[in-house]
Amino acid sequence: MEENKHIKLPLGTVSLSPELGSYYIDMRPAKIHYQPNIWGGDFDQNGVPRISFKGELGYFPINIAQYGFMLHAEWLETGNIETLELMKSCLNVLEEIKTENNDHCVWWHNEINYRYNIEPPWASAMAQGELISFYLRMYQILGETDLLNTALKSYEFMRVNVSEGGVRQYSEDLGTWLEEYPSDPPSFVLNGFIYAIFGIYDLYRVTRNELINEDLQRLLNTVKNNLSKFDAGFWSYYDLQKKELVRYYYQKNVHIPQLNVLYQLTNEPVFLKYAEKWERQLTSINYLIVKIMYRVLPRVRKLKKLISF
């Protein structure tokens, strides 16, 4: 089983203070994933992580943002200049690979997403949200207004509908959703949506813009009203399109910490209810069931494809 566990924040430590501090979830336990060759990748000459796309090394925005959160947490504790320089190197790469105009800023993904059958270029609400959070933290360190403006434009792109090449999905059944994977049919991935919300929450904390807050409350209500759909009874689902059980690592280190943070942000009991329920379900027998399913399901899909011919 996975032993890494994100640090839970005590109730009351998440606030509306404009001084952002460290990211909502301590991602440093996942730093082991950034070792060379874990994803077939490495670090460039300036210490920025790269991953492999069909044998070619490239930059992945989410990968860089989350590494930035790890560095930022360390820098807040140590004030180490070398750590700050690494954060600046990450920022420089993100500046190089962004697409920005007068209205929007977006980090395009230029590879095919086979899981949801998405042709490039495509954008991810999770990436946009996490990059907003990283840019705002760098803005507060460096004081460069352009970083704040980029964060605002990144949010404006998050208001663009999936049908128009954006990431915002409207559903009569679910409400307003921000898609980590803007697929057709919609994927409705839970963790990516919540990470996107964290970015918007940060933007409201810094700007106090009431229109952003109205949107934030709308999105929080979507999660609150649909959380039960991700409950498999004994585990949690990754999305609503395929309804696959999440891996043990995701249940423990992503879904549960995210819901704990949402409870701290909102005091909504439903977030605490499922955080505690899914944590109770981190048992050896459930772990074994999930592990078996991940071995069996690919074989079942392969058999179905053979039968279809």
Side-chain angles (χ1 to χ4, degrees), residues 14 26 38 43 47 60 72 113 132 134 209 253 299 304:
V14 177
D26 187 353
I38 291 292
F43 291 86
F60 190 60
H72 183 255
N113 181 276
I132 287 173
F134 181 63
N209 184 305
N253 294 304
R299 296 174 186 175
K304 285 182 178 179

Side-chain angles (χ1 to χ4, degrees), residues 152-167:
L152 287 164
K153 291 179 183 180
S154 303
Y155 167 69
E156 286 302 319
F157 181 84
M158 294 169 78
R159 296 175 61 83
V160 178
N161 295 346
V162 169
S163 61
E164 298 172 354
V167 296

Side-chain angles (χ1 to χ4, degrees), residues 239-292:
D239 66 8
L240 295 183
Q241 184 193 113
K242 300 180 182 297
K243 299 199 83 169
E244 288 185 359
L245 300 175
V246 298
R247 294 184 182 275
Y248 183 90
Y249 181 88
Y250 256 78
Q251 178 104 341
K252 183 176 182 179
N253 294 304
V254 181
H255 277 179
I256 292 170
Q258 283 186 328
L259 294 186
N260 278 321
V261 172
L262 287 181
Y263 174 60
Q264 294 161 43
L265 298 182
T266 66
N267 285 322
E268 288 287 351
V270 67
F271 297 133
L272 182 62
K273 170 187 173 181
Y274 282 102
E276 292 181 339
K277 179 179 182 181
W278 290 347
E279 186 158 26
R280 287 195 304 270
Q281 293 169 346
L282 292 172
T283 63
S284 297
I285 185 65
N286 283 349
Y287 169 72
L288 182 60
I289 291 171
V290 173
K291 191 173 182 179
I292 291 172

Side-chain angles (χ1 to χ4, degrees), residues 142-183:
L142 303 175
E144 297 176 4
T145 306
D146 285 349
L147 300 178
L148 173 60
N149 290 335
T150 294
L152 287 164
K153 291 179 183 180
S154 303
Y155 167 69
E156 286 302 319
F157 181 84
M158 294 169 78
R159 296 175 61 83
V160 178
N161 295 346
V162 169
S163 61
E164 298 172 354
V167 296
R168 184 165 295 229
Q169 190 76 259
Y170 295 95
S171 166
E172 290 186 6
D173 296 330
L174 276 68
T176 304
W177 197 280
L178 298 177
E179 290 276 38
E180 178 179 353
Y181 301 101
S183 58

